[in-house]
Amino acid sequence: MSRSVIVMPDDTSKPILDAINAATKSLRVKMFLFSDPSLLKAVIDAKRRGVDVRVMLNPARRDGESENKESHKKLAAGGVTVKDSNPDYDVTHEKSMVVDDETAFVKSLNWETKNLTETRDYAIVTSHPHEVGEIIECFEADWSRKPFKGDEHSHMIWCCGNGRERIAQFIDGAKESLFVQNERYQDAVIIERLVRAARRGVKVHVMARPPHKLSKEKLVEAVGGMRIMQDVGIKIHKLKHLKLHAKMLLADHDRAIVGSINLAPGSFDSRRELAIAVDDKHVIERLAKIFHHDWKHSHPLDLTDQGLLEEMKAHKMKGAEKLVLEDDGKKDKNKQEDKKKDKKKKDKKKKAK
């Protein structure tokens, strides 16, 4: 099979470790976060047995927090050629690996232990020469600090580049059903497409991270996007047995997109991201099975003012004022006051007559 799917945490890290351990010529790894001890050891061991290993790590988050320093040191000490990702991008959020120039892994998961054991994540493994070749081309461009931008002719889905267009077209093509797992829903174009899909009769089911898992800076756009979708009848749920980190869209049970792209403007416009479109029957069947399982083990998100206020209070979150939230008691009180004012106005008019 030219493509296969890895599901986390169900499949464990074994398929990834097996691929690294089987490498004989080369490994190219581009990763947002890389700290899992078993994967670090496997990559260093590959170098020690003569494999040409190169690793690109994102140097820091947008807020300046650096989480790859220790891994960078360990890899370098093990003889691995490692460098920071391309500084032309605010963040390199891509998670990919190419083994022996023949097999590529396109992932939503970071190489952190929690992404291997605690989160819902996916990886697509492809041996299609044109897909593998394109991922290698981008890796070499980023390694050499040269331009690479996906366009309408690209086989893969790239940010910056064709990401927003490809995902919008994917949603527009849905006829009966659209199942989406993503952490955040902030991009206006993508939200619009999901709304239009629902209004033309597509069954849209969305899984998201609950608001308390979002940063204060992302709260307004993310909550606003989810409430807009909910207002047109889109069902929005949160996982209850795992943390959601996946970035997956499944349309009509016959095609899917999997990768690193959050549905947010920053991901499309200023980050290095990678995703892949697939239609392999066995891959689609597995993705559909997992989504239906996750949906069964999920809860509707309470996006009412009262629900959001209670969640923010429970998790000691700030930012309710930015969402212009009112609790039910205040709403009722305001309504009563408005009714009293209206009655006074009417009484004045009667007296004036």
Side-chain angles (χ1 to χ4, degrees), residues 1-4 128 254 277-285:
M1 293 182 289
S2 55
R3 294 197 193 99
S4 59
H128 278 281
D254 66 9
V278 296
D279 57 7
D280 311 69
K281 186 178 179 181
H282 61 284
V283 173
I284 297 302
E285 287 178 350

Side-chain angles (χ1 to χ4, degrees), residues 260-280:
S260 67
I261 305 172
N262 283 311
L263 302 179
S267 295
F268 292 119
D269 299 327
S270 62
R271 293 184 169 202
R272 168 64 80 209
E273 305 270 13
L274 171 63
I276 185 171
V278 296
D279 57 7
D280 311 69

Side-chain angles (χ1 to χ4, degrees), residues 56-252:
M56 252 188 291
L57 298 177
N58 184 67
R61 294 178 182 264
R62 288 188 67 183
D63 61 7
E65 184 182 3
S66 178
E67 296 167 283
N68 286 321
K69 280 186 178 180
E70 286 304 311
S71 296
H72 194 293
K73 290 177 183 177
K74 289 177 183 177
L75 290 166
V80 174
T81 305
V82 55
K83 65 161 59 176
D84 289 344
S85 51
N86 194 337
D88 287 348
Y89 302 95
D90 288 349
V91 166
T92 289
H93 195 239
E94 176 183 344
K95 305 103 164 46
S96 67
M97 176 175 72
V98 180
V99 182
D100 291 340
D101 299 338
E102 295 177 353
T103 306
F105 289 62
V106 179
K107 294 167 273 193
S108 66
L109 63 134
N110 292 301
W111 279 4
E112 289 193 295
T113 304
K114 69 178 181 180
N115 288 120
L116 305 171
T117 59
E118 299 175 14
T119 65
R120 172 64 74 221
D121 267 303
Y122 303 104
I124 298 295
V125 186
T126 177
S127 58
H128 278 281
H130 50 273
E131 293 172 347
V132 176
E134 199 167 285
I135 297 169
I136 291 173
E137 183 183 354
C138 180
F139 184 97
E140 296 299 336
D142 284 351
W143 188 269
S144 303
R145 309 315 196 217
K146 294 179 180 178
F148 178 92
K149 191 174 183 180
D151 58 26
E152 67 272 18
H153 303 296
S154 299
H155 297 289
M156 307 299 289
I157 301 169
W158 296 101
C159 302
C160 304
N162 60 11
R164 183 183 280 112
E165 179 184 5
R166 288 283 179 87
I167 292 177
Q169 290 172 348
F170 180 92
I171 296 169
D172 290 346
K175 296 178 176 62
E176 296 179 359
S177 65
L178 188 62
F179 302 149
V180 188
Q181 289 180 317
N182 205 285
E183 291 181 86
R184 294 185 274 124
Y185 299 81
Q186 294 171 258
D187 189 76
V189 173
I190 301 304
I191 292 167
E192 173 201 356
R193 291 314 209 280
L194 290 169
V195 166
R196 288 186 175 190
R199 296 191 68 174
R200 68 173 181 269
V202 177
K203 180 175 68 175
V204 183
H205 288 181
V206 162
M207 302 194 78
R209 297 191 83 179
H212 74 267
K213 294 290 186 179
L214 303 171
S215 67
K216 183 180 178 182
E217 293 74 24
K218 296 168 183 172
L219 194 62
V220 172
E221 292 86 351
V223 169
M226 289 190 289
R227 291 179 105 178
I228 287 169
M229 291 189 291
Q230 194 175 69
D231 284 347
V232 298
I234 294 175
K235 295 180 180 179
I236 303 177
H237 281 210
K238 60 179 178 179
L239 267 173
K240 65 180 183 182
H241 67 306
L242 288 172
K243 297 174 184 177
L244 181 66
H245 188 256
K247 299 94 171 64
M248 189 274 286
L249 298 94
L250 174 65
D252 300 326

Side-chain angles (χ1 to χ4, degrees), residues 348-353:
K348 282 184 180 180
K349 284 182 180 180
K350 284 182 182 180
K351 287 180 182 179
K353 288 180 180 179

